[in-house]
Amino acid sequence: GHGSTFRLMLPLSDQKVVLSPSPSTPLATGQGLVLLVDDEPSVRLVGQRVLASLGYEPVVARSGLEALATFQDLHDKLVMVICDVVMPDLSGPETLRRMRAIDPSVPMAMSSGYPDEHVGPFDTNASADVLVKPYKREELAVLLKRRARSRPS
């Protein structure tokens, strides 16, 4: 034939290989409504699944304007808002600024597909955490544990 032949010579061993699962600490879970704002359907779907797996009840919005309407109706029940930075009708920072004018007590986070150094400060008064997409389940769990307010009655 054509091509190459490779021989792999490995030493024999009488010892059994035992693979043990890596020790993992359980993720912090919570409860309550989390408003997830993103114009990308796949990001919304994954975000909904991750939030639900952590015990939260996700409410989604596809745009800043839709998010504002939802926030107006639910702000007193929300434990947190996670909002994309770049959206077509209203930017994430502007969306959060308008939400803060309605209810500044709701914790907020920005999510971005750009590396940290390209995100930059959104608003000097924003005090919003930044999640770089794709965010990991563990990162989201830590953020929610640290920043989400107690479930409103």
Side-chain angles (χ1 to χ4, degrees):
H2 298 308
S4 301
T5 302
F6 295 91
R7 289 188 186 196
L8 216 42
M9 308 295 273
L10 301 173
L12 290 176
S13 174
D14 291 335
Q15 294 179 347
K16 289 185 178 182
V17 176
V18 178
L19 298 176
S20 60
S22 60
S24 63
T25 57
L27 293 178
T29 58
Q31 53 183 311
L33 293 176
V34 175
L35 177 56
L36 177 64
V37 187
D38 204 295
D39 59 321
E40 280 295 320
S42 60
V43 173
R44 286 194 311 270
L45 180 62
V46 169
Q48 282 179 281
R49 289 180 179 167
V50 170
L51 287 167
S53 76
L54 294 171
Y56 295 92
E57 187 179 340
V59 177
V60 297
R62 297 171 293 198
S63 69
L65 294 176
E66 185 179 332
L68 283 173
T70 302
F71 188 84
Q72 182 71 43
D73 293 341
L74 299 175
H75 67 92
D76 57 335
K77 296 174 182 69
L78 293 171
V79 297
M80 189 159 200
V81 173
I82 300 170
C83 185
D84 188 19
V85 173
V86 179
M87 293 186 292
D89 63 351
L90 189 62
S91 75
E94 179 61 19
T95 300
L96 294 189
R97 189 186 66 71
R98 292 184 187 187
M99 286 179 180
R100 279 201 174 82
I102 297 167
D103 186 347
S105 70
V106 180
M108 300 182 184
M110 302 294 308
S111 63
S112 173
Y114 300 101
D116 289 330
E117 62 270 11
H118 293 116
V119 173
F122 304 111
D123 173 357
T124 55
N125 299 318
S127 69
D129 288 275
V130 177
L131 285 169
V132 177
K133 294 189 285 187
Y135 38 82
K136 296 180 175 82
R137 186 170 181 260
E138 295 80 13
E139 291 170 347
L140 193 53
V142 168
L143 172 70
L144 286 160
K145 177 70 173 170
R146 191 182 78 231
R147 295 270 292 138
R149 67 180 175 174
S150 298
R151 185 177 184 175
S153 314

